[in-house]
Amino acid sequence: MTTRRPSFPAKLDRPSGPSPQVRPARVAGSMVTAAAAPQGLGLDSGAVRARMVQKLAAQGIRDPRVLTALGHVERHRFVDTALVNQAYEDTSLPIGLGQTISKPNVVARMIELLLAGQPDAAAPLGRVLEIGTGCGYQAAVLSCVAREVYSIERLRGLHDKARENLRPLRLPNVHLLFGDGMVGYAQGAPYAGIIAAAGGDAVPQAWVDQLAVGGRIVAPTVMPGGQQALVVIDKTATGLQRSALEPVHFVPLKSGIA
Ligand code: SAH
């Protein structure tokens, strides 16, 4: 078994600049499967992922781009060593600081919704903003289906963890940001899609403003009864179309950084 590269010759920090700070997760190439072999997973991770993808398809995920992306990204690299054996189960897992990596089924469902909302649903997704980088897993999956991914995290510890996790994957189209995602990231706008991994009481106006016409927001949002549901907002030339879909359970969307 080979070991992880001890370091990577990337200069990831912008010396100074507007907040939030942009930190490309990349350096070169576009492989989502890292050069290093899986560690601590006593199974062929490709076969386990293939089974996970089969289950996702059986659960109703149809878009082949989404299934391919989930089959490609090594989820076990994004969770703690002690949880590696659960990495391909359809469950959310703790990633530290009280946060969780979302269930594969939810990641797949939300990205499928994002793709389906585009004016040409078969075309590649343009620029995407993800609120809540967490461990970086969903950002890696998004990098397979979107041209550019801007992913913002409000907890410094997780932003740094995501950077660590994503560095060996060398994804030139993923840009990690540290900041409050409630205000979006105007410098990257307009976005073809905005996807939130944390649930707020309402979809912030900044996200709507930063969405391109023809774009879609997919965000868990607290409903009047107090339960979260997946909310989809489409921005059309004539206005916004909003629909609330199935119930979900996401960590709360919080303002500010920590
Ligand atoms: N997509 C992530 C899931 C992370 S959980 C993954 O694949 O691991 C949701 C994340 O949203 C948490 O890390 C939480 O800190 C973050 N979050 C909550 N409110 C936020 C905000 N206003 N801006 C940015 N990130 C936020």
Side-chain angles (χ1 to χ4, degrees):
M1 181 184 278
T2 53
T3 53
R4 251 173 203 273
R5 292 170 189 218
S7 65
F8 204 75
K11 182 76 184 87
L12 295 172
D13 281 321
R14 247 179 16 179
S16 65
S19 178
Q21 299 161 8
V22 183
R23 292 170 153 196
R26 51 106 170 202
V27 192
S30 60
M31 283 178 58
V32 179
T33 305
Q39 291 176 348
L41 191 73
L43 298 158
D44 170 2
S45 78
V48 186
R49 259 192 319 285
R51 270 204 297 284
M52 177 187 82
V53 167
Q54 277 169 10
K55 282 188 197 151
L56 292 172
Q59 288 166 345
I61 304 297
R62 294 273 174 270
D63 193 316
R65 293 168 292 180
V66 176
L67 293 171
T68 301
L70 272 109
H72 203 49
V73 179
E74 297 179 328
R75 192 170 185 257
H76 67 271
R77 291 182 173 280
F78 294 84
V79 300
D80 284 350
T81 322
L83 299 171
V84 153
N85 289 332
Q86 295 174 64
Y88 296 107
E89 290 173 16
D90 196 24
T91 180
S92 57
L93 294 168
I95 54 172
L97 301 178
Q99 309 303 314
T100 52
I101 180 174
S102 309
K103 290 162 61 134
N105 178 275
V106 171
V107 171
R109 166 80 171 138
M110 290 177 75
I111 297 178
E112 189 168 68
L113 283 168
L114 208 60
L115 287 164
Q118 303 306 304
D120 177 359
L125 199 51
R127 254 190 329 265
V128 170
L129 177 66
E130 179 193 36
I131 319 297
T133 313
C135 64
Y137 173 71
Q138 182 167 268
V141 177
L142 284 167
S143 80
C144 301
V145 302
R147 285 205 195 92
E148 298 290 331
V149 179
Y150 290 84
S151 180
I152 187 162
E153 172 58 54
R154 65 177 289 276
L155 297 177
R156 169 67 81 175
L158 286 176
H159 169 75
D160 289 343
K161 184 182 249 188
R163 245 177 110 220
E164 281 280 299
N165 289 340
L166 290 171
R167 187 182 289 120
L169 308 188
R170 308 181 192 194
L171 304 174
N173 62 338
V174 175
H175 312 280
L176 298 186
L177 310 145
F178 173 60
D180 180 1
M182 298 263 273
V183 299
Y185 181 62
Q187 291 92 323
Y191 298 101
I194 299 179
I195 183 165
D201 292 335
V203 171
Q205 184 60 38
W207 301 358
V208 174
D209 294 343
Q210 292 170 24
L211 188 66
V213 172
R216 171 173 276 193
I217 296 173
V218 180
T221 308
V222 179
M223 296 287 107
Q227 295 281 350
Q228 283 180 355
L230 267 192
V231 164
V232 169
I233 296 177
D234 290 322
K235 193 176 197 173
T236 70
T238 52
L240 300 177
Q241 280 173 1
R242 184 181 188 278
S243 39
L245 308 177
E246 67 265 25
V248 283
H249 302 281
F250 277 83
V251 295
L253 183 70
K254 293 187 177 171
S255 58
I257 53 173

